[in-house]
Each structure stands twice: as C-alpha cells, then as structure tokens.
Amino acid sequence: MKKIFSHPKSLRKIPTHYCAGCGHGIAHRLIAEVVDELNIREKVIGIAPVGCAVVAYDYWDFDCCESAHGRALAVATGIKRCRPEKVVFTYQGDGDLAAIGTNETIHAANRGENLTVIFINNAVYGMTGGQMAPTTLVGQKTATTPYGRKVNLHGWPLKISEILGLLKGVVYVERVSLHAPLEVLKAKSAIKQAFLNQIQNKGFSLVEILSACPTYWQMSPREALDWIKEVMIKEFPLGRIK
Amino acid sequence: MPKISIDKERCKGCLLCVNFCPKGLIKSSQKLNKNGINYVEFLDKDNTCLGCMQCAIICPDCCIEVYR
Amino acid sequence: MKKEKILISGNEAIGEGAIQAGCFFYAGYPITPQNELTAYMAKRMLQEKRVFIQAESEISAINMVLGASAAGFRAMTSSSSPGISLKQEGLSYLAGCQLPAVIVNIMRAGPGLGNIFPAQSDYFQATKGGGHGDYYCIVLAPFSVQEAFDFMFFAFDLADKYRNPVMILGDGFLGQMVEPLTVKFQIPNSKYQIIKKDWALTGCKKRAPNIIKSFYLKQKELEKFNLLLQKKYKTIKRRETRWQEIDVEDARIILVAYGTMARIAKGVVRKLREKGKKIGLIRPITLWPFPQKAFLKNPKARYLVLEMSYGQMVEDVKLALEGDKNVEFLGRAGGGIPTEEEIIRRVK
C-alpha cells in the first residue's frame, strides 16, 4: 500500500493556532507542497505578515522574515535585490496587502520586482477581532460595520488584484478559492505557477486566494465555504486576471 | 484497498472532511482529544473508500494522510 | 590603502564613506536637505554594481533596508527630520529583530514641515528610541565633512557588531557644507559581508531555518528578550561612548555642543583662551550612549550647553552632572543658530 497524500516536508507537524475551518492552514500547506515539489526548500525565503498568519514562520520549515504590517513587499524587495538567486515570497492578508500596505504593494508590482505574492482574502481582519477589511463585502457585518458595510460610508470592496493587473510590471495575477477540494487543487497550481515565474525570472506574480474565516463570519466551517461559493465569488470572480 | 489515517491530536473538529467524503466514511467521534475537541474518525467496515483524497485536500490542518 | 584628497559636500562624503565601508544596499526617498546624498548613491552604487532603490516612501525605504539587512548585507537609508519620523516604525522593528543598519538624519527645522534650514531638534527622537518599545539606536554626531566620511566605517562596524541600528545625526549645515576630504579606499568591492552573519537569511541549506522576528507572543519570552536587549545596551554604554574634549581640566566654564554647533563653540573656546579665559569644550560624539563620564573630570565648572534647538541635549547634561545648578543653556531653532557673539556674551 502506497501513501498517496502525505504531510509536506516543508510544513512542520505541529498544531497551528488557527481556528477550526480557517483557510490559512490549507494555504500554508499548499505553499509547503509547492516548495517541496519544486525542490526549493533550501533557497526559499518567506515573508510573514502581521495578521492571523504572523507566526507562519513557526509552521513552515524554511528561512523566514517578519515584516511590519503592510511592509512585506518592501522587505521582500530588500532581500531579493541582495540575493536574486533565492526564491522570495510574501504571504499577506487583505488588510496587510490592500489597506495599510497598498503603497508598498503597488510600487513593488510596478517596479516588476521578481517576487511571488500569496494574498489571502477573507474579507475581514481576523487577528484583531473581525473588523472591516478593504475587501469586506457590501452589507457584510463586522466589528466596525455592525450595521453592514455601506457604500456611502465605507466605499466598495477593493479589487486590488484587478488594479495590479493593469500594471506593466506585473506578469501574472490569478484569483482562486479554497471552498472545495477541486478549487484547492486549482489554487495549488496557481501558486506553483507564481513560484515558477520567479524561478524563470519573469517578474511579479500574485495569487489571490479566497479563504474562509468561519469565526468572524459567524458561520460553521461548512457554511463559510458555501458563503465563498455563493456570495464572495460574485464580488471576486475566480480565474486568471493577467 | 484505499484508506486514510487521521492525526486525531491535531484535528480541530471542523468537519470539512465529513462534508466532502463522497462515501460518508468520516464521522465525528464521541471522544475528545487532548485539546478537548471532538475529533473525527474513519469508519470503513465495507472497504468502500475510494482514495479520492478530497478529505485530505480540504483539511485545513493537514491531519489526514491517504493510502492506496 | 589608497588615499586621495577631494573637495566634497557632507552629504556626498557620507555616501562615499558608506560605499567604502561596504554598504551594498541603499534605499531612500527625496527630502531636502539630504538630496545630494540620495543622488550621489544613485550614481555611485550602480557604478559599484550594488543596489540603489528610490523607494515610494521613507517607510518603504527603511523596510527595504530591513530586508537587505536580514539577507546579511550592509544596508542604509537616509532622510531628513519629517522623513525620519516616518522611519520610526522601521527603526523599532530593526531594533526588535536585532538587525544592523545605518540611518542618516540630516536634520532640518521643525515641527511639522518646518523649513529646510539646519537644526538639531531631533535629538530626543534620535537618542531616546524614537519609535515604540524599549530600544536605543547608537547615535553618532559628526562635526566635519571628514568625520561624516570616517564615521560611516564606525557606524557599519558598530551596527554589525551589536546587531543594532546606528544613526548618523547631522544637520543641514553639515550636509550642504563643502570641505576638503581625505578619502580612504579600503574595502575590496567583492567583500560585503565583513562580519560573518550566521543568523542571516540565505536559504536553509545544510542548517536549521533562520527566522528574523521581533514577535514574542508569550509575556515571559518577550520579557526575556527585552532583558537581553538591555544587557546589550549596557555593554554598548560601557564600551562605545565617545567624545572630544578641549581644555576641560582647568576650565571655569565648559561649553557643551555637538555637530555644527560644536564647530562654532570650538571657535569661541579658541578665541577666549587666547584672551586668557579659562574655557573648555565637551563635544559628545556618541549622543547615545551619552558620554556621562566626560563630565566627571570637572563637575564643579559652570556648564553652558549650546544647541540648535530649544533644549534637548541639555537634559542629558543635567543628568550627567546630577543636577542643574551649574548648567545653563543657549539655543535657537527654526533656522536660527547661536552665533559666536551671542555665545561670548553669555560666557562673560
């Protein structure tokens, strides 16, 4: 009997601090699987964000750097420009990448930095207690939109991936989701493509991953996946953006 | 015949695997692990597991390994 | 070692000093009066096949420096007062991650946008941490173009040795002033990692993964880490305090000044000594750690602290002398500088 699905080597076999049903665990695993499959564990450098994934470096078994909230792509730029032979990626949430770090994100992308970005969009701030994110849907209730997100007060959900797709420095943008096993497999191949682009010196690649936050969506893990499928995807359509 | 193994100590009982198993072979156990969580169990008396890996792919905690 | 004499501005001397000291990475953002430094690095770093980036903001620049430093390379950024305020987040993270880096502040007058005239009003910010948390930057205050160049070697060495950010605190005067400089060419261009950095991010080949972080979730862990930092700061205080003194021992009045202000003070001391006045000068070179020992030699003298601010370093002088009975202050800011005549009037 052969093991056909096993724990990736680049992911430590320890319990994570994530809530039950949280998408971060799947995304961490997919990155570890891609790192193993591309055989780059000894030359990959990950940048952990501020947010729920702040201790991602405790789970991945390779070199990692912390970054201040939103600054991951500036830190990654510094590392990659000094060590272009390494494979450098950032792992950032919606608040990190598309609110406080919008400036760093757009300019790293526009410079065409040869980096890989894994962008987790769960439409909410998790670590701080479920506040409105730039990607929070219209009508969605959060700690800071207790009556639901209203366009006249809070603006529209920010389509950062579509914005980045307009920039000449960007070579690859794809939006994927983790709401079903088949979607998870698609997400993995997008992540792999984003890493391959860097290895082949093609330039800036970003994968946006729609990921569940059952705790702050106040749903069961299953309901959260259904909400991605039935509601979130309408605002954030899946597929290749660039 | 295919089968799965579950690391019950790291299981958080989110039940996503239960939802996606096409044969209904995974169930919430009545027992608690060290973290006080109702972990899931694999029960396949009739050897009907397909080894489709859907449970392992959707597991957010990488608790499931699949054999075929 | 090759030597060459050139005429150069303070800003450019800092740039060349950094290059000779093995700086591999520079990121900056335009702000007056340090623009010549950024422009100089744009030209020279590319000539030396090193990295220059004009960042989208001061915040981004210092975080790029954090990345380059985490990768094990000598890295620096420069700015002027309002820009340095923006860099405080990065400075706190550099200190918390124990990463070496050199930050140059060519001070201008504040608060707010203030103006572009030279000032020394960022002394508190520079020497008391500046950002959040219990940390210190080592702060060096050059007072000539030659020192601006020479201190870059010192700054990068200190940063690497203690894994701590080092700030060069100059003012617009020092940055813009043109003086003869003896350039020492000493670092071979290929050897950027002057000190072995086994903590650096290089990919985990044949070793356990390295993690660069300042985050300690558990209270006890963070307390332990803070105590480690405090121990390091104590060592720095003990070993690295520097100052210059002129005619201190028999002086009845001692001027205390750093940077550009110290040049004027030095002129006053020379002039009044010629007339027989018992006057001396203490010029702190490290502003943090502050040279408290310098004041032990003649603690009963009358002290006159001179600053291009409304009284910041004077507080450290009072601490060093354990009181303010014999400490006086003369300062101007917002573009004004205490003149020789004003100082002489106060001395008499």
Side-chain angles (χ1 to χ4, degrees):
Chain A
M1 190 167 269
K2 211 175 118 196
K3 201 189 267 188
I4 55 166
F5 189 100
S6 54
H7 198 100
K9 282 195 179 66
S10 294
L11 191 69
R12 294 196 177 110
K13 223 171 185 172
I14 53 169
T16 66
H17 71 289
Y18 298 118
C19 307
C22 172
H24 276 303
I26 302 178
H28 284 15
R29 187 190 79 223
L30 296 181
I31 289 167
E33 284 174 358
V34 166
V35 166
D36 285 354
E37 285 166 27
L38 296 174
N39 198 22
I40 53 172
R41 187 184 158 266
E42 292 184 341
K43 60 176 190 174
V44 74
I45 299 171
I47 316 294
V50 168
C52 280
V54 63
V55 293
Y57 46 68
D58 282 346
Y59 307 136
W60 289 317
D61 192 29
F62 44 71
D63 276 13
C64 284
C65 191
E66 169 188 286
S67 78
H69 198 25
R71 319 292 173 227
L73 276 162
V75 173
T77 298
I79 296 175
K80 183 72 180 178
R81 291 285 191 109
C82 287
R83 297 197 181 277
E85 74 285 5
K86 305 296 172 199
V87 180
V88 183
F89 77 93
T90 67
Y91 184 97
Q92 300 175 260
D94 37 47
D96 193 272
L97 182 134
I100 194 167
T102 317
N103 202 18
E104 285 76 6
T105 303
I106 287 185
H107 286 278
N110 195 50
R111 286 192 303 269
E113 298 290 344
N114 189 24
L115 294 167
T116 303
V117 181
I118 308 302
F119 165 37
I120 306 296
N121 177 1
N122 59 10
V124 78
Y125 282 72
M127 181 66 124
T128 44
Q131 293 85 353
M132 180 184 71
T135 50
T136 290
L137 301 193
V138 174
Q140 189 184 335
K141 284 184 181 173
T142 69
T144 49
T145 54
Y147 310 107
R149 182 176 189 155
K150 290 189 170 71
V151 169
N152 61 336
L153 293 177
H154 313 108
W156 299 91
L158 187 67
K159 306 280 182 62
I160 191 80
S161 292
E162 278 81 352
I163 294 171
L164 294 174
L166 298 172
L167 304 178
K168 282 189 177 167
V170 175
V171 294
Y172 174 69
V173 184
E174 182 152 358
R175 187 182 286 120
V176 294
S177 168
L178 303 178
H179 70 265
L182 187 63
E183 300 301 326
V184 174
L185 292 179
K186 284 188 205 162
K188 183 179 167 183
S189 66
I191 292 170
K192 199 170 198 172
Q193 186 61 52
F195 274 92
L196 275 171
N197 288 345
Q198 183 181 161
I199 292 164
Q200 293 160 3
N201 290 314
K202 285 187 180 159
F204 192 92
S205 301
L206 178 140
V207 181
E208 174 177 344
I209 302 176
L210 305 186
S211 171
C213 179
T215 301
Y216 290 113
W217 295 354
Q218 297 177 13
M219 296 174 190
S220 72
R222 175 70 215 214
E223 287 166 350
L225 296 194
D226 289 344
W227 192 75
I228 296 178
K229 189 171 132 192
E230 283 149 24
V231 182
M232 207 175 167
I233 283 176
K234 290 203 179 87
E235 185 66 35
F236 295 104
L238 303 185
R240 182 97 185 240
I241 293 165
K242 188 175 187 178
Chain B
M1 63 212 67
K3 65 163 191 173
I4 67 168
S5 69
I6 298 167
D7 182 345
K8 67 174 187 182
E9 289 309 329
R10 289 193 298 112
C11 174
K12 290 178 183 151
C14 74
L15 306 181
L16 290 179
C17 52
V18 175
N19 280 292
F20 282 99
C21 177
K23 295 286 179 184
L25 302 175
I26 311 172
K27 289 197 170 59
S28 178
S29 80
Q30 296 308 304
K31 289 167 270 177
L32 302 175
N33 66 14
K34 281 179 197 156
N35 292 318
I37 283 162
N38 269 331
Y39 56 89
V40 294
E41 284 179 320
F42 177 63
L43 298 162
D44 188 14
K45 280 183 207 143
D46 304 324
N47 293 328
T48 52
C49 176
L50 302 168
C52 69
M53 301 190 288
Q54 292 198 66
C55 55
I57 290 166
I58 205 71
C59 175
D61 295 286
C62 206
C63 299
I64 300 176
E65 294 190 308
V66 185
Y67 302 84
R68 190 156 54 192
Chain C
M1 187 169 60
K2 206 177 104 194
K3 279 188 181 182
E4 194 181 308
K5 199 161 191 177
I6 55 173
L7 192 66
I8 194 169
S9 74
N11 278 331
E12 292 166 318
I14 288 170
E16 191 57 40
I19 285 164
Q20 294 305 325
C23 174
F24 183 77
F25 184 95
Y26 174 95
Y29 185 86
I31 184 169
T32 310
Q34 64 83 56
N35 289 317
E36 297 77 11
L37 172 50
T38 312
Y40 190 82
M41 294 306 259
K43 183 177 72 185
R44 288 283 289 125
M45 291 295 267
L46 261 66
Q47 285 172 354
E48 299 291 329
K49 296 192 168 55
R50 304 185 197 178
V51 186
F52 168 89
I53 302 181
Q54 179 174 331
E56 59 272 22
S57 71
E58 283 92 346
I59 298 171
S60 189
I62 191 138
N63 282 286
M64 288 175 184
V65 164
L66 187 145
S69 174
F73 289 79
R74 286 194 158 181
M76 79 176 257
T77 182
S78 65
S79 191
S80 178
S81 309
I84 295 292
S85 292
L86 287 171
K87 289 187 196 289
Q88 294 304 324
E89 174 197 69
L91 274 168
S92 175
Y93 276 79
L94 283 164
C97 292
Q98 295 212 79
L99 287 172
V102 175
I103 298 93
V104 179
N105 182 2
I106 300 299
M107 288 181 282
R108 58 190 257 180
L113 200 51
N115 64 30
I116 60 168
F117 287 97
Q120 294 181 326
S121 303
D122 302 350
Y123 178 93
F124 283 151
Q125 187 196 49
T127 60
K128 312 295 176 199
H132 62 284
D134 271 306
Y135 77 92
Y136 292 97
C137 295
I138 299 169
V139 184
L140 306 178
F143 92 139
S144 65
V145 168
Q146 186 68 51
E147 273 195 358
F149 175 87
D150 292 341
F151 281 12
M152 295 313 288
F153 294 81
F154 187 30
F156 277 105
D157 286 349
L158 284 174
D160 278 350
K161 187 173 168 190
Y162 294 104
R163 293 184 58 185
N164 204 68
V166 175
M167 184 176 279
I168 300 284
L169 195 67
D171 59 73
F173 231 102
L174 182 85
Q176 302 288 324
M177 178 168 63
V178 175
E179 280 187 319
L181 165 75
T182 306
V183 182
K184 287 164 272 183
F185 298 95
Q186 58 181 49
I187 305 291
N189 287 343
S190 58
K191 204 178 145 199
Y192 301 124
Q193 272 204 38
I194 287 100
I195 288 180
K196 195 167 173 259
K197 297 174 177 175
D198 50 16
W199 47 264
L201 303 179
T202 58
C204 58
K205 198 171 184 178
K206 289 177 185 160
R207 61 160 171 77
N210 282 342
I211 309 293
I212 301 286
K213 62 160 190 163
S214 64
F215 185 63
Y216 299 87
L217 193 55
K218 291 179 183 136
Q219 175 244 321
K220 274 190 178 163
E221 280 177 24
L222 184 57
E223 195 167 354
K224 202 174 139 194
F225 173 69
N226 264 292
L227 289 172
L228 188 106
L229 283 184
Q230 292 305 315
K231 204 175 149 194
K232 175 167 89 174
Y233 298 145
K234 230 173 153 178
T235 310
I236 297 171
K237 273 187 190 172
R238 201 173 58 241
R239 287 195 196 151
E240 308 298 351
T241 306
R242 312 267 166 115
W243 71 90
Q244 187 195 8
E245 51 182 53
I246 299 172
D247 299 338
V248 164
E249 268 161 48
D250 68 334
R252 304 280 288 275
I253 177 163
I254 297 169
L255 306 180
V256 188
Y258 69 95
T260 296
M261 201 61 245
R263 289 172 78 102
I264 300 168
K266 204 176 157 187
V268 170
V269 169
R270 204 181 296 135
K271 242 180 203 172
L272 293 184
R273 273 278 167 184
E274 275 169 20
K275 290 181 183 162
K277 180 106 185 155
K278 295 207 160 164
I279 185 168
L281 171 71
I282 291 175
R283 173 171 77 94
I285 288 172
T286 54
L287 301 181
W288 192 91
F290 190 72
Q292 289 186 313
K293 275 190 187 159
F295 298 83
L296 297 178
K297 214 174 238 177
N298 192 349
K300 299 278 180 247
R302 185 181 151 213
Y303 282 87
L304 177 59
V305 183
L306 307 167
E307 294 182 62
M308 290 147 65
S309 81
Y310 288 103
Q312 302 195 12
M313 182 176 70
V314 65
E315 295 195 3
D316 283 333
V317 175
K318 286 175 185 172
L319 280 172
L321 288 163
E322 294 176 350
D324 58 3
K325 268 181 260 165
N326 52 341
V327 181
E328 293 168 41
F329 174 75
L330 175 63
R332 289 173 65 186
I337 301 174
T339 61
E340 224 175 68
E341 295 71 35
E342 281 171 329
I343 299 166
I344 290 170
R345 225 179 298 139
R346 264 305 275 279
V347 165
K348 279 173 178 168

